[in-house]
Amino acid sequence: MMKKKIMSASKASLVLLLCQMVSALDVPLDSKLLEELSQPPTITQQSPKDYIVDPRENIVIQCEAKGKPPPSFSWTRNGTHFDIDKDAQVTMKPNSGTLVINIMNGGKAEAYEGVYQCTARNERGAAISNNIVIRPSRSPLWTKEKLEPNQVREGDSLVLHCRPPVGLPPPIIFWMDNAFQRLPQSERVSQGLNGDLYFSNVQPEDTREDYICYARFNHTQTIQQKQPISVKVFSTKPVTERQPVLLTPTGSTSTKVELRGNVLLLECIAAGLPTPVIRWIKEGGELPANRTFFENFKKTLKIVDVSEADSGNYKCIARNTLGSAHHVISVTVKAAPYWITAPRNLVLSPGEDGTLICRANGNPKPDISWLANGVPIAIAPEDPSRKVDGDTIIFSQVQERSSAVYQCNASNEYGYLLANAFVNVLAEPPRILTAANKLYQVIADSPALLDCAYFGSPKPEIEWFKGVKGSILRGNEYVFHDNGTLEIPVAQKDSSGTYTCVARNELGKIQNEVQLEVKDPTMIIKQPEYKVIQRYGQVSFECIIKHDSTLLPTVIWLKDNGELPGDERFLVGKDNLTIMNVTDKDDGTYTCIVNTTLDSVSASAVLTVVAAPPTPAIIYARPNPPFDLELTGQLERSVELSWVPGDENNSPITNFVIEYEDGLHEPGVWHHQTEVPGTQTTVQLKLSPYVNYSFRVIAVNEIGRSQPSEPSEQYLTKSANPDENPSNVQGIGSEPDNLVITWESLTGFQSNGPGLQYKVSWRQKDVDDEWTSVIVANVSKYIVSGTPTFVPYEIKVQALNDLGYAPEPSEVIGHSGEDLPMVAPGNVQVHVINSTLAKVHWDTVPLKTVRGHLQGYKVYYWKVQSLSRRSKRHVEKKILTFRGNKTFGMLPGLEPYSSYKLNVRVVNGKGEGPASPDKVFKTPEGVPSSPSFLKITNPTLDSLTLEWGSPTHPNGVLTSYILKFQPINNTHELGPLVEIRIPANESSLILKNLNYSTRYKFYFNAQTSVGSGSQITEEAVTIMDEAMASRQVDIATQGWFIGLMCAVALLILILLIVCFIRRNKGGKYPVKEKEDAHADPEIQPMKEDDGTFGEYSDAEDHKPLKKGSRTPSDRTVKKEDSDDSLVDYGEGVNGQFNEDGSFIGQYSGKKEKEPAEGNESSEAPSPVNAMNSFV
């Protein structure tokens, strides 16, 4: 919405009068001129308005000023004249107004507190300083107080108050311990802006007796310490969790006033367990970007350089898992006065007019008052040439006596501004400040600027002549600047010569001559060309230049915009660059740069290094860039571009690529515009409004793309209404009572003109309501507050600029913010499918009660107790989510024979609604898990004792246990399986009538009415005959037995060595020969084919030796030959001794005990068993 301002008739006449006034003189900053001209005083340096001094050092109050003649200085203190001559402690610096108050030699700073003001005066007026308030700094001691120990329960909040003494300036507060170590701070423990130490919740580790608050006074470099505070935390189990409560600020709302330009600090510290997290938002807007910072673990919001736009309501939200608390701080930004237009010095000629304008703003709006030479203008001496009109003083027909210094004071309740501005009425003949016969040199076709700096009062008129007797210069080929400078926009060779500047006013006339030389431009008439060179070859780039004979050019060569490699292979000649013995590293762009004192030109070429071809071939290369780009037929939305193609380099140009640069919005960035066939050298280009176009052309052939051409001239199209509106418009609420409208902003290219803004419109859908609209700056978001919860809105965003609106935008549908659903699903039913799976049904909730986008339903279910144990346990809730508007869901993984509860909740984008009433259901019995353990104890000759634990998960009522067992022989063969059914209330069993020294394998499981569960297995061995065992123990401890066994081992070792030697010789054992000679008639040598013994063999079967064998002819060993085995003692020898003590077994190396089936053994008894029998 556009607003028009209407001026009153008196204001309009005042503006007209000011426009007709002669502009004031500008005094050039020429030191010689300034020394000669009279000038009223100007304050150049002064102490700050609020000046806090160190009471131990001398007080220096600064006041420096300049003027012609030099000003004299005087001071007031608390509004009355301060006679420094009467105070021996006060001196004024020579040629200065600065006061030095001697404190170090007996003076007291407190005696010199007050408001000081300096006046600098000469014959043309008086300037005054600000009111300087002098206050000595103070660092008082802490008041003594009795501090009671703090006894706090674990999890409670705590605040340790600092309450530092009031100092000047206020002290800096920090907390430390007795060891002068800073106390660690965190989200849980932190220091507030007032210096207090806040604990959101205390923990046992917070117990200590040395919480000490320190106050540091920087001015006096002192630190004051509070008495240590003791905190003792006592624990209570369990620790009660608490939802957040704000410790500071208190209440639900508070206010804060801050001044414009200051730093705004807002603080929220909350108690709670778990420790709350703080979040900040600005209601109805966003926190300012780039000026917002979070400190003290996000408990402090800091906005720097605040302005009136930062006023509003700021909400801090403290949240933990149990809930949240919030506080709204209403911030009002006021403003001390600040300048809009500060008064500026006026230099006028007698009879001229002028104005002093003093405009300031603030909140509240400041009062403007004027002083003349330090005296309120109402009681100052009359001056008929001046007239005061509010914030403006109008001067008419001034005279030299009108010179004075005027002070403008702008003040409100938050401060004041004081500015000095003088009116200096001078009558001076013209002076030319530019040096005589100054020489100017320019390049042809470029601008020439000839200076004629001048001063005079009244302001002189400037005229320019060419030559000694030339006529006055006029016409469009020259530009005459207000500062006296003559500009020749396009200097030509014939523009060279002598130019005369004449300055005249009613008090005199003066002239000055300057010289202009126009030089020929520097050109590269033979540019380096694109080269393709074979590796290890030689290449040269030419750079032949033409330049003005009076200018000395310098030529520099660059590689890839950097210096040439420091390599002797690179030879720089007068007009060329030669590279010897080219390598792959030399590939790149080479640039020739020619510099003179007046201009610079450059040209580049690319070097491509290739491998040497087997036979000479035509060199194909990328085309040279097009040139001579020209724009014709300029229209608002189109232009014609033409160009001249470069060399094709033996590969025809297939197409041209046209690119454009927008110098107004994206300078230096080139965008693709269009492509045309290689036979076309002109193209009509479509343009957009408000774009400063430059074009370039790139030629393309099969080898690649050329370098871009030089840019065309620029063409700025006219502004127009936007052609399009923002895209991706969305409306999604972030809170239940708002609607956040977002969009993708237009680019500068799409804006079509200056002043891009957006008109954001919305209205509630399906309600007979008018559109509400607001115009916002070039942003991408707007927040509508106070909306109903989750209602549809029609939204549209229209672009506009200074020329008007874009076409009417399309409407989109958005929704205001969601809130939690209101009702729970009804008619919840459960159908138990089996012992581990159930199906739950529910009725959908009315969509109006969802209050958001329906995302689905959540089923919470948990096991209440096992029906077999009747004992409750810790409830672990499980959650299943069913997306969309479903009315049923499956609950897998249930435990059999258990009681469950469930409820159903509807879910939207905000969260979950209330739960439905808990529904109880039970799962049927299932098969049990395996018994928790099976332990076999008390082995005897013929019995074993079995003990077991009931299944961890009975999954029903146990009916019985099933025990199965069977013997295992030494070859792991299993005997017959025996099954026993045991009552469910038993937990142990003694098995009798078992075979002695026999291994058994047991299988054990539990049963319910549904069936058998998984089984657990175990193995055990019955023990041997007790007498035999005692004999074995006795023999094993006898010395003779140990000696005998050592001898047997030694004999076996010797026998193995002899066998090894005989085998290597290929002979037979002597014992074998002897046996052959005296063969036992009952035992004949056996052949290899029937598995009997022949010659000694080292085969893998390791058949037993024959010597002294008393084995029956069927090669079996009777049980009575051996009843025991070394296997039970951990040995690995399987064999036997005969009744005559001869060894007929073999060494097997086995070390694990093998179970036997029945009472028979498939292997020979061990040597120890045989020895026991022998003894």
Side-chain angles (χ1 to χ4, degrees), residues 500-780:
T500 303
C501 166
V502 178
R504 60 166 57 89
N505 67 10
E506 60 189 40
L507 300 179
K509 168 187 172 184
I510 192 171
Q511 68 180 38
N512 187 44
E513 293 182 352
V514 295
Q515 307 297 322
L516 174 64
E517 293 181 358
V518 181
K519 308 292 186 179
D520 289 326
T522 305
M523 295 184 294
I524 301 177
I525 57 177
K526 180 64 174 177
Q527 298 186 356
E529 297 180 348
Y530 173 74
K531 298 290 181 70
V532 177
I533 190 69
Q534 297 175 14
R535 195 180 297 127
Y536 311 120
Q538 175 179 323
V539 66
S540 290
F541 292 105
E542 289 186 297
C543 185
I544 301 175
I545 62 174
K546 177 183 178 183
H547 61 91
D548 192 282
S549 59
T550 62
L551 298 177
L552 181 63
T554 58
V555 179
I556 301 173
W557 286 90
L558 302 178
K559 178 181 184 295
D560 296 330
N561 294 323
E563 295 183 358
L564 290 176
D567 193 329
E568 60 185 12
R569 297 183 299 108
F570 290 81
L571 305 177
V572 179
K574 178 183 178 182
D575 298 323
N576 59 53
L577 167 66
T578 302
I579 307 174
M580 312 290 291
N581 195 21
V582 173
T583 67
D584 292 336
K585 293 183 179 179
D586 300 330
D587 200 282
T589 301
Y590 291 84
T591 303
C592 166
I593 301 177
V594 184
N595 294 316
T596 69
T597 55
L598 298 180
D599 63 349
S600 176
V601 292
S602 65
S604 299
V606 175
L607 172 63
T608 302
V609 180
V610 298
T615 56
I618 299 174
I619 297 176
Y620 300 95
R622 292 177 288 181
N624 291 352
F627 56 92
D628 283 352
L629 272 67
E630 184 179 3
L631 297 177
T632 56
Q634 290 92 336
L635 300 175
E636 289 187 4
R637 293 289 183 115
S638 68
V639 70
E640 185 176 276
L641 173 67
S642 60
W643 62 91
V644 177
D647 195 335
E648 295 181 344
N649 293 326
N650 300 316
S651 179
I653 296 175
T654 57
N655 59 296
F656 291 100
V657 178
I658 293 87
E659 296 180 340
Y660 74 90
E661 175 197 29
D662 181 2
L664 190 61
H665 302 107
E666 293 183 289
V669 179
W670 290 90
H671 300 275
H672 182 272
Q673 173 86 5
T674 187
E675 293 187 22
V676 297
T679 57
Q680 187 174 328
T681 58
T682 61
V683 63
Q684 192 79 18
L685 300 175
K686 293 182 179 179
L687 307 180
S688 293
Y690 194 53
V691 178
N692 195 11
Y693 281 100
S694 292
F695 299 96
R696 68 182 187 185
V697 183
I698 300 171
V700 183
N701 63 11
E702 291 185 354
I703 306 303
R705 296 161 64 102
S706 73
Q707 293 293 313
S709 68
E710 291 295 321
S712 70
E713 61 181 297
Q714 291 187 333
Y715 176 45
L716 177 62
T717 55
K718 293 182 179 180
S719 302
N721 296 12
D723 292 328
E724 55 187 306
N725 287 303
S727 59
N728 197 21
V729 178
Q730 292 182 330
I732 303 172
S734 61
E735 298 292 340
D737 60 349
N738 75 7
L739 172 67
V740 181
I741 302 174
T742 59
W743 60 89
E744 289 185 9
S745 301
L746 300 182
T747 63
F749 183 85
Q750 297 169 310
S751 66
N752 284 7
L756 178 63
Q757 294 179 295
Y758 300 99
K759 179 182 179 183
V760 184
S761 303
W762 67 92
R763 68 179 178 184
Q764 191 171 335
K765 191 175 183 294
D766 300 330
V767 175
D768 188 12
D769 198 1
E770 295 293 328
W771 287 95
T772 302
S773 300
V774 64
I775 294 178
V776 299
N778 188 12
V779 295
S780 61

Side-chain angles (χ1 to χ4, degrees), residues 1023-1042:
I1023 65 173
M1024 67 186 72
D1025 180 73
E1026 294 163 351
M1028 189 177 298
S1030 62
R1031 286 168 54 199
Q1032 180 171 331
V1033 173
D1034 293 338
I1035 294 172
T1037 58
Q1038 299 299 315
W1040 65 266
F1041 176 75
I1042 296 172

Side-chain angles (χ1 to χ4, degrees), residues 237-253:
K237 300 297 182 180
V239 178
T240 304
E241 294 187 341
R242 297 172 177 83
Q243 65 181 24
V245 176
L246 286 173
L247 297 174
T248 182
T250 58
S252 60
T253 61

Side-chain angles (χ1 to χ4, degrees), residues 290-307:
N290 304 323
R291 294 190 294 115
T292 300
F293 304 92
F294 297 100
E295 297 179 345
N296 197 17
F297 308 97
K298 290 193 175 181
K299 300 175 187 178
T300 302
L301 171 65
K302 177 180 177 181
I303 302 177
V304 301
D305 192 23
V306 295
S307 65

Side-chain angles (χ1 to χ4, degrees), residues 955-1095:
N955 295 339
V957 178
L958 295 182
T959 57
S960 62
Y961 293 101
I962 302 298
L963 173 65
K964 300 177 183 178
F965 64 95
Q966 58 189 148
I968 310 173
N969 65 13
N970 287 347
T971 59
H972 299 284
E973 295 177 357
L974 300 175
L977 189 67
V978 178
E979 179 176 326
I980 301 175
R981 185 177 297 273
I982 305 170
N985 57 354
E986 297 290 341
S987 61
S988 63
L989 176 68
I990 299 176
L991 282 179
K992 298 182 179 180
N993 300 322
L994 301 177
N995 296 326
Y996 66 88
S997 188
T998 303
R999 177 177 295 276
Y1000 287 90
K1001 186 168 186 178
F1002 298 91
Y1003 312 88
F1004 193 67
N1005 62 347
Q1007 278 190 334
T1008 65
S1009 60
V1010 177
S1012 299
S1014 55
Q1015 65 184 10
I1016 183 172
T1017 63
E1018 191 59 73
E1019 294 184 10
V1021 181
T1022 55
I1023 65 173
M1024 67 186 72
D1025 180 73
E1026 294 163 351
M1028 189 177 298
S1030 62
R1031 286 168 54 199
Q1032 180 171 331
V1033 173
D1034 293 338
I1035 294 172
T1037 58
Q1038 299 299 315
W1040 65 266
F1041 176 75
I1042 296 172
L1044 177 62
M1045 294 307 298
C1046 291
V1048 172
L1050 181 61
L1051 288 174
I1052 293 172
L1053 178 62
I1054 294 171
L1055 180 60
L1056 290 174
I1057 294 172
V1058 171
C1059 291
F1060 179 74
I1061 295 173
R1062 293 284 295 174
R1063 180 175 177 239
N1064 287 342
K1065 291 182 178 181
K1068 299 180 180 179
Y1069 285 100
V1071 66
K1072 176 67 173 63
E1073 296 173 356
K1074 186 175 181 180
E1075 288 176 352
D1076 290 342
H1078 304 86
D1080 191 329
E1082 294 180 4
I1083 305 176
Q1084 295 297 327
M1086 298 180 181
K1087 304 299 181 181
E1088 292 181 358
D1089 54 359
D1090 62 1
T1092 57
F1093 293 94
E1095 293 184 352

